[in-house]
Structure formats: structure tokens, C-alpha cells
Amino acid sequence: MFVYETHGIHAGTGKDHLKHGIDNLEEIVRKAIDMGHPSVTFIVHTPRLTGYRYDAERRTDIKFIRGDAAYFRYGNNIKELKKKYGDRITIIHGIELEWLGTDLGLQWNKSKIFQADGIDFVIGSIHFSKEKIAYDGSIAETERLLERRGDKSRLWVEYLEEMMEMVDTTYKIIDVVGHIDLPKLYTGLPECFAELDDSDEPEAVKMRLLLEKISEYNLSLDVNMAGHVKGCGIYPQLPVLKRARALNIPVTIGTDCHHAEDYGRNYKMALDYIAEAGYTWYLSYRNGIPIKHPVKEREYSEEHYNYLNLAIELLKRRFSRSVPLRLPNLSFGGKFRDLLSDFPGSTASGDTSIIRARTGEKSITVSDKNSAVKNQVMMKGLYSHHRDDVGVLSLLFNALASESINVETAWLDYSNDRTATAFLTLSGQEDRLNDALEFASSTRPGSFLTLEERDMFPLRSSKKDNPTILEIDGIEMNIPISSCMIITSHKNSKGVLLILLSALASVNVNVKNLQLGKRGNKAYAVLGVEGEEKEIKDVLSRLGSSFHEASCISLSDFTGK
């Protein structure tokens, strides 16, 4: 069984006076590889302000921030493991953000996110009350908190209010809400949670409000097996989880492992547990992007979920990382229609095997293969067969713009013989086309092998077995997906795309594939490119106001088929 978890293996605290987690992360990586797992997930607690300490820590009579030094080394340690084992397993790492209130604690926590290098996700959780007493420390600590608050009901009500405050404050920086019913470890669960949908008890009312906030903020919920190991029941209890399912809150799975021998323990139990609550899929995270996994393996389910995750990742990367995008609207066609039952609310979409993901004005449709585009009309345009070199396409667009000729639609694809083929439909001063072609050919002799007007279909099929983008925001495309892509929306006016192509050529980026489409005064371009990602992102940020969107999408693990 594959382990795709989020609240995973806790990284150790090194030479701190009280140990927490596993110091030898490499041992876990090797164990995961030996077990045939495709990924392994690490997590570390953010260091706390020194006033937030368990009784066991206070008894050391030493004032320290548990895990501070280890926290600063965490990112570098993960980088080293990726260098050593990255070709054999995917290594994911996140942080568990310790909620410390809205005052100094909030600023402290924001700084900890910046100090965590390249994390994939953030879990927000509460271990300490506003009185700085631990909810999960010991019976003695819980009794002290009960005495402060008066009774069990008030303890739970104030805990849930603190959780709501955390969610309201941090929903833009966290992805997952951790062990939502943690106090049950020493207080037991409020009886009213057994009838969570119907009870008017204050604890039930607060829990319903908290779950509604989690749903509205598009956060996911941590299904955490540590509660089972400690004897208080899986976090969260089943009635809470069923309520979450009714609110369409996605879940993640975590073994919350603190010892090497516990890696992957109870994972099958977690899958059965969320299935009992009505879930058919769950999430893990990578680079801030939610990745979906089926609860029950079926024929082709892994392949189909891979394409689903590809569509969602392509859509997500068109948004800023600060914009929450947990589950877009989905449509499935052809063989992917078997996913309809896993995603209630999704829609069927014809016989062609496609997955469409959409949020607001943005959408993207992908297929597992490049197929012939239907219902096209033959059009007159410019055919170019040229060297597949940096700047050649930019030169052609430059020559056309110099004669006031606008490129309306464009198709470009490379060949394995280091040449490329393009077909452009044009408007504007087309009687000056010959002058533009002469200018292009003479400026770079030998680069253009054929350059002439032809009647052709504007969208061509290429690399038929390659996963393909078929649509962007309602504009038909037919471009193979590659490991580095650019998506733009921009004004449909003369010379605008020339800005992009010139900018890319200036930093030695070669355009391997291109599709240009339009609707009204707005145009869309999708490009497959080769070049340095940092340079690409830099030039995209400087394109100017003619571009409504200019996204660089790097799919580091994408191999084509």
C-alpha cells in the first residue's frame, strides 16, 4: 500500500534537552524506498515562544525553545535528502504551525513560515490554551485548565473559539487544520458530539461553526492516527468527520509518526475510517498544490488520478500561491468519466477523454493524448519551416509587426531533427507580407527553410501520445504538455505577442511549442519552452500592462507520457 500522508513523520529536535520526533530522517527515506512507496512526507513543529511550555519542559529548569536549531536546519536537511534520493522517491516536507494567539505569537509564526525553506504545505494546529497550558500535555495540566475554566464544557467551548480564531487569522497561510478535537486526549469527547447535527449544546454549536469556517476557507482537515495510538480515538471522531464530509471539506491522512518503527502504521485503518465517513478520495500536498488520491484502488484509478492532479496543478499554477484553490469545479469525458462517482457535483463532458478544471474565469482542459481537432475550417495563412533555434520565431513576428501585420492565431511545434514548423493566420497589411518575409529571410540567412502562404487547418495534431492541453478559458487549444510552459492572456493587438517572444529570446529561452488563440479583444498563448526558470519568471514579471496574465508553469517531474 502506498502512503500518501500529510501529518507525517515528525523531524527530530536534535540535541534539545527534551527529544521530540526522529533525528535520522535518512533512515525513514531508505525504509520508504524499500517498501516501494512513491513518496515520503516529513513535518516539523514551528518553535514556540518560551512561555508556551509543557510541564515536562518546565521541570528541566532550562529556558529554551524546543527545536529552534533543528528548525533552521530542516530545509537544508531535506534538500540534501532530495539530492541523494530524489531519483528514487519523492520527498515532501511541511510544517505544523503552533498557534500562539493574535498578538506577538502571530508575528512570530509568520516569521517561522519565512524561515522554513521551500515547504510543501502548512498545518495549523493548537496545542496550548490562551492561558499557556497544554491541551495534550498530561492529566495534571488538563485538571489545571479545567479548574481555570470551570468545567469541561467551558474548556471545549473556549478551545473551539481559539480554533476559529486561528482559522480566521491564518486561512491564507495554512492548508490543513490539525487534530481538530485534540482535548479529548485527557477530557474525553463531549457527549453532544454523538448527535452533532442535532444538538444545541454550546460545544456542538461551536464545532459546527468551526467546520463551516473550514469549509468556507477551502481548508482541509487532518485525519490523524495519533489519537488511536494514544487510546482516545482517531482525530477527529467519526460524527465530526461525517459533518465535515457533508460540508465537502477535503481530508488529509497523517500517521503523526514520531518513531521510525511506526512509519506507515495504521494507514489502512485511516483509509477505512474516512471511507466510513463517506469519502472516496483524500489529499496530500506538494508545492502548495493539493494532490488527490483514491481511497479504494480500482483498475486505472492511479492513471486517472494522475491526469486529474495534472489538470489541477496546471490550473493552480495560474494563480498566486496566496490564493486558496483546494478543489476546482471538474468535468470528465470519455474514459475519465469513471471519476464522476468520486467527485459529487462534477459533470460529464462527452466521449472524448478529457478532464476540465475550472475556478472563476479560469479553466483548463487536458487529455491523455493529442487528438485531431474537429470542425475546423481551412484557412489561408503563413507556413514556416525553420531552424529550431532561440530567437527565430521572435524574428518572424518582428518582421510581420514591422509591416503592420497582426498574428491572429498561431501553431508551432518542434521536430526531432532540430527544425520547427509554424502556421500563422494574419490580419492587417497583408499586401505587405512579401516584404515582411523578405526581411525575415535576409536578416537571418539559412534559418528559414520554407516561408510561404498556404491553405491549412489552424490547429494541428502533434505528438499524439503526449498529454495535451485542449482548452484555456474556453479557447480551443491543442498543445502537448511539457516540463516548462508559459500561459498568457493579453490584448489582441499588433505587436503584443512580439513583446513576449522578444523577452524570452533576450534570456536565451527557446520556444518549442506555441498555440495562440483569441476571443474578441483578448488573446491567449500557451508555450512550451526551454530555458532557466528564474530568468523566465523575471522577464514575465516585466511584460507590462498589455498582459493580463503571464504564468510560468514548471512541472519538474513531468516526463511526457
Side-chain angles (χ1 to χ4, degrees), residues 481-496:
I481 298 170
S482 56
S483 59
C484 188
M485 306 191 76
I486 295 170
I487 296 177
T488 71
S489 66
H490 52 272
K491 292 180 180 178
N492 181 29
S493 56
K494 298 172 184 177
V496 174

Side-chain angles (χ1 to χ4, degrees), residues 209-276:
L209 288 172
L210 172 58
L211 290 170
E212 287 165 9
K213 284 182 178 291
I214 293 170
S215 176
E216 288 300 315
Y217 289 136
N218 291 318
L219 300 173
S220 55
L221 193 63
D222 172 33
V223 175
N224 188 305
M225 300 308 292
H228 172 75
V229 173
K230 294 176 181 179
C232 65
I234 299 169
Y235 303 121
Q237 212 74 11
L238 194 59
V240 176
L241 188 60
K242 287 183 175 180
R243 179 81 179 184
R245 176 66 191 89
L247 290 167
N248 294 317
I249 298 172
V251 293
T252 64
I253 290 177
T255 57
D256 204 347
C257 166
H258 288 66
H259 305 283
E261 60 271 19
D262 291 335
Y263 170 65
R265 184 180 178 189
N266 297 318
Y267 195 77
K268 174 64 166 62
M269 181 188 296
L271 292 176
D272 292 341
Y273 188 69
I274 65 174
E276 185 178 355

Side-chain angles (χ1 to χ4, degrees), residues 5-10 41-46 71 74 93-99 109 113 119-127 163 166-167 170 173-180 219-224 252-256 283 285 321 326:
E5 61 180 343
T6 301
H7 202 143
I9 303 104
H10 272 269
T41 303
F42 294 104
I43 190 165
V44 68
H45 287 276
T46 53
Y71 188 80
Y74 178 54
H93 72 302
I95 61 173
E96 184 174 0
L97 196 68
E98 297 259 15
W99 177 247
N109 278 341
I113 290 177
I119 53 175
D120 292 285
F121 62 89
V122 178
I123 297 175
S125 64
I126 293 180
H127 294 87
M163 287 290 287
M166 179 193 76
V167 170
T170 64
I173 58 176
I174 67 174
D175 303 291
V176 185
V177 178
H179 37 61
I180 193 173
L219 300 173
S220 55
L221 193 63
D222 172 33
V223 175
N224 188 305
T252 64
I253 290 177
T255 57
D256 204 347
L283 297 180
Y285 286 85
R321 180 160 180 172
R326 301 310 196 272

